[in-house]
Amino acid sequence: MPELPEVETFKRYLDKTSLKLLINKVQILDERILKTEENDLNKLLKGRKFESTIRHGKYLLVYLKPGYLILHFGMSGDLEYYDSKEEPPKFSKVIFHFNNGYNLAYISIRMFGKVSIANSIEEFIEYKKLGPDAYKMSLEEFQEAVQRRKAIAKNALLNQSFIAGVGNIYSDEILFRTRIHPKTNINTLSEGKVKELYRNIKDVLEFGIKKKGDLSTYPNEFLIPHRKKEEKCPTCNSDITRFEISGRHGFFCPSCQKN
DNA sequence: AGCGATGTTCGCCG
DNA sequence: TCGGCGAACATCGC
C-alpha cells in the first residue's frame, strides 16, 4: 500500500488503537522482516508501552520511553488491531500482544517492509539519509532542496533523500497538477513553478490523507483514475502516455505537461 | 501462467 | 560525487 498518505493513515490507526497499552509479548512469525536482533526488539518493547508516534516520509516511528520501533511497509504492508482470541490476519509477520487482550499485527505480503529499532529520530533520519518530510517541510526547505538537485523532476520527487514520502503514484499526480513534464530538470524550474510545485505536493498529499490512501475513488479530474492504457487526459482529452524511468513506470499528459 | 507491482538498495557507468 | 539505469529482493493477484 504505502506512500506517505497510507503511512499517515497507519499512524492515525495505531494512535487510535494501540497507544499506552502494556506490551507483554512480541511474536515474530517471519524473522526475515526484522532489521534488528530479535533480542534487542524484545528488550525495547516487552513490559513497555507505545507512547506516541511520528511519521517521517514513509516510515512510522513508534516511541517507547527509551527508544523507537521503526515500521516500514514496503509495497504491501498493513496494520491490524484485533482481538487476540481471533486468528491473526493473513501475512502477519510480527504481532504485538497487549495486556488488554488485543493484538496489533504488522502485516507484509511481499516482505519488502522492514521492522527495526533506533535510539532517536535524528539518528534514524541521518542513518537513512532522509530528506525533509514532504508533508511537513517548509517552502524554504523545499526551495533549498531544489537548488541542490540536478535530477529530472520525477526522479527528484521519488528520491527519499531529496524529500521523504512521495512515491510513484503521487509523484505522477503532483507533476500532472503542476503541469510539469516528468523529465524536466528540477533545477530549471522558475521560482513561481517551484512554489506551485511545493503547494501541489502538500495539496495532493493532503487529499490522499483525507482519502485514507484509498486510490479507488478519486474524482475524474485527477490523473490517478487514468493511470492506465487507453486513457484520456481529464483536462484536455489527449492520450495519457505511459513512460519508463529507472525501471518504474509513470503516466503523464504530453499536451498539458510540456518541458 | 506470466507479468506487474504504492519500495529500497546496490553496483555500474558516464 | 551525482544522477540515471537496471537488477535484485519476495510473493501474490490479475
Side-chain angles (χ1 to χ4, degrees), chain A residues 110-125:
Chain A
R110 260 153 282 176
M111 300 288 295
F112 275 25
K114 284 285 172 276
V115 173
S116 59
I117 59 178
N119 291 317
S120 74
I121 299 172
E122 297 72 29
E123 177 196 283
F124 175 72
I125 288 174

Side-chain angles (χ1 to χ4, degrees), chain A residues 194-220:
Chain A
V194 170
K195 284 186 178 163
E196 202 189 322
L197 180 58
Y198 171 79
R199 192 67 256 155
N200 285 336
I201 291 170
K202 296 291 180 97
D203 289 350
V204 165
L205 293 175
E206 183 170 49
F207 191 80
I209 292 168
K210 213 179 294 170
K211 282 270 178 199
K212 296 188 163 64
D214 180 3
L215 300 171
S216 66
T217 61
Y218 264 64
N220 181 60

Side-chain angles (χ1 to χ4, degrees), chain A residues 21-149:
Chain A
L21 301 172
L22 196 68
I23 300 162
N24 47 29
K25 185 174 156 195
V26 180
Q27 188 185 357
I28 315 291
L29 288 90
D30 192 329
E31 72 281 352
R32 290 175 302 168
I33 210 78
L34 294 186
K35 261 205 130 179
T36 178
E37 294 295 323
E38 188 168 343
N39 213 9
D40 295 339
L41 185 68
N42 270 311
K43 217 182 293 174
L44 176 63
L45 269 65
K46 271 175 86 170
R48 297 220 172 81
K49 305 166 182 175
F50 295 153
E51 302 289 347
S52 58
T53 61
I54 286 177
R55 183 195 50 70
H56 191 96
K58 301 170 192 170
Y59 293 87
L60 182 54
L61 291 77
V62 185
Y63 179 58
L64 303 99
K65 285 247 165 64
Y68 289 85
L69 167 71
I70 312 286
L71 300 177
H72 178 254
F73 298 93
M75 301 227 283
S76 58
D78 203 357
L79 291 178
E80 193 172 327
Y81 181 77
Y82 67 101
D83 190 323
S84 61
K85 291 195 286 289
E86 293 163 16
E87 283 294 300
K90 231 180 158 191
F91 309 117
S92 294
K93 294 294 185 284
V94 180
I95 299 176
F96 307 102
H97 295 251
F98 303 117
N99 75 341
N100 69 344
Y102 279 77
N103 295 347
L104 181 71
Y106 167 91
I107 300 161
S108 182
I109 300 177
R110 260 153 282 176
M111 300 288 295
F112 275 25
K114 284 285 172 276
V115 173
S116 59
I117 59 178
N119 291 317
S120 74
I121 299 172
E122 297 72 29
E123 177 196 283
F124 175 72
I125 288 174
E126 165 59 26
Y127 167 65
K128 283 285 172 189
K129 301 268 179 275
L130 296 176
D133 180 80
Y135 191 58
K136 290 180 273 195
M137 67 184 172
S138 67
L139 175 60
E140 291 67 34
E141 279 178 297
F142 182 62
Q143 287 172 319
E144 206 262 319
V146 165
Q147 281 168 10
R148 283 189 284 115
R149 291 284 156 175

